[in-house]
Amino acid sequence: MGQFTGLHGIDRDRLLALIAASRALRTEAEARPRTDRLHGKAIGLLFFEPSTRTRFSFEMACHRLGADPLAFNAASSSSVKGESLTDTARVLKAVGADALVVRHKEVGAADLVAEVVGLPVVNAGDGTGEHPTQALLDLVTMSDHVGGFEGLTVGIVGDIRHSRVARSNAYGLRALGARVLLAGPPSLQDATLLQAGCEQRQTLAEVAPEADVLMMLRIQRERIAGAAVPSVADYRARWGLTERAAAQLQDHVIVMHPGPMNRGVEIDDEVADGPRSVIYGQMVNGVYARMAVLLDVLGVEAPEAVAG
Ligand code: CP
């Protein structure tokens, strides 16, 4: 029984295999959009926090693999009557779930469910902790556009401190030999990622000339308690990927964003929808990355990677 709750300490070969499996599933889907690899399996989708991309891509991943998604709506569930996360997870197991996907505001929620319930568990975002399937789809997207990860420089700019996306990407990229430059307002930086081998910069202007990939992040206002946040004008001037800032980038640089975007703050419309943007591709890859992870945790083989 496998778990996929974080990329901290992930084995490089497992990560490369998941990237290859995601790409192989995407190639296979061109001819065969649906298979029955997970026929008869039920996947509990326990989303206790809002989501658009992650939730729908897990649902689509289930359908494409022939599994039954057990969708959970926190607002209309017994959690509003005080039922705990772990008791809710036990209910899903009792009614027949074979694996659980968990999004929750508490760091460590997915690990807790895995420990208590004894099913394969996938972390779909735990507070400011990790978002490993987002990082996997980001790595798949990067691999579509860059030669390899060794020697690649990825700039991650924005609210690093509250970003589970930044954390999972940093761990994954470092495991694959990439260089990671972080920049954001002083109150939103995260020194713990420097221990993982990331490098701290202050502003977008310090990151941009060195980066092959620029990943822009929103300020996670829902998680900020008391941290000083710059005004929108100040933020745009120092950390915003404006049309003018994007015009200074090297030709080969790609722009990523996990979403949801705050257009006009960390990224301008012209950049988000422009030729450097691979943001839509990230969303497409989300389905295949999540298919690869569901197969992995349930111990079912993915299709063979095609060379090239
Ligand atoms: N990137 C991401 O996790 O988006 P959602 O919150 O819409 O799932």
Side-chain angles (χ1 to χ4, degrees):
M1 180 181 66
Q3 310 294 348
F4 194 69
T5 57
L7 296 194
H8 188 246
I10 184 113
D11 177 71
R12 179 179 181 275
D13 289 341
R14 183 183 182 203
L15 191 50
L16 287 172
L18 284 168
I19 294 169
S22 306
R23 291 168 62 99
L25 286 158
R26 188 180 64 195
T27 302
E28 182 188 68
E30 288 167 17
R32 235 176 121 213
R34 284 173 194 242
T35 67
D36 59 1
R37 285 192 177 85
L38 292 186
H39 178 72
K41 301 286 187 193
I43 314 294
L45 304 178
L46 288 175
F47 279 71
F48 286 87
E49 274 195 329
S51 170
T52 300
R53 279 149 287 269
T54 312
R55 185 190 174 111
F56 279 118
S57 56
F58 266 113
E59 278 193 35
M60 186 56 98
C62 290
H63 291 303
R64 291 201 164 191
L65 291 168
D68 298 319
L70 302 177
F72 166 85
N73 181 343
S76 62
S77 76
S78 288
S79 64
V80 297
K81 298 182 238 171
E83 190 157 55
S84 70
L85 164 66
T86 48
D87 277 346
T88 305
R90 285 187 180 104
V91 174
L92 269 289
K93 182 178 181 178
V95 301
D98 297 285
L100 299 175
V101 174
V102 179
R103 171 170 286 197
H104 197 274
K105 67 177 185 196
E106 297 296 338
V107 175
D111 285 309
L112 175 68
V113 169
E115 193 183 309
V116 170
V117 179
L119 286 176
V121 172
V122 179
N123 181 4
D126 60 332
T128 59
E130 285 218 39
H131 196 349
T133 62
Q134 174 70 45
L136 177 61
L137 75 89
D138 292 337
L139 295 170
V140 173
T141 308
M142 285 181 223
S143 73
D144 291 338
H145 295 274
V146 303
F149 291 99
E150 290 282 350
L152 184 75
T153 299
V154 179
I156 307 180
V157 179
D159 178 1
I160 308 294
R161 183 170 161 192
H162 300 99
S163 176
R164 53 200 181 198
V165 176
R167 220 169 315 289
S168 288
N169 266 284
Y171 297 141
L173 285 162
R174 293 297 298 145
L176 298 177
R179 201 170 155 228
V180 180
L181 309 181
L182 305 172
S187 62
L188 303 179
Q189 295 175 5
D190 183 354
T192 64
L193 288 176
L194 308 187
Q195 288 156 22
C198 300
E199 299 169 44
Q200 184 70 62
R201 301 287 188 271
Q202 296 307 313
T203 62
L204 172 65
E206 291 175 34
V207 168
E210 294 182 70
D212 302 300
V213 175
L214 263 184
M215 185 179 296
M216 306 306 296
L217 302 174
R218 73 185 174 92
I219 299 177
Q220 306 228 352
R221 293 190 185 278
E222 72 274 28
R223 301 190 203 285
I224 292 177
V229 178
S231 68
V232 170
D234 193 23
Y235 191 90
R236 272 176 62 77
R238 305 185 74 199
W239 298 283
L241 190 53
T242 59
E243 190 176 15
R244 193 168 159 185
Q248 309 298 318
L249 297 174
Q250 298 179 69
D251 288 345
H252 70 280
V253 177
I254 57 169
V255 171
M256 306 179 71
H257 195 306
M261 292 183 273
N262 290 138
R263 291 168 178 260
V265 183
E266 73 271 10
I267 192 164
D268 278 0
D269 286 339
E270 293 78 3
V271 187
D273 304 324
R276 294 181 184 282
S277 171
V278 297
I279 296 168
Y280 181 75
Q282 289 175 263
M283 296 177 217
V284 173
N285 285 330
V287 176
Y288 303 105
R290 283 156 183 143
M291 288 169 72
V293 168
L294 289 175
L295 292 173
D296 179 77
V297 298
L298 285 162
V300 177
E301 277 196 19
E304 290 282 318
V306 181

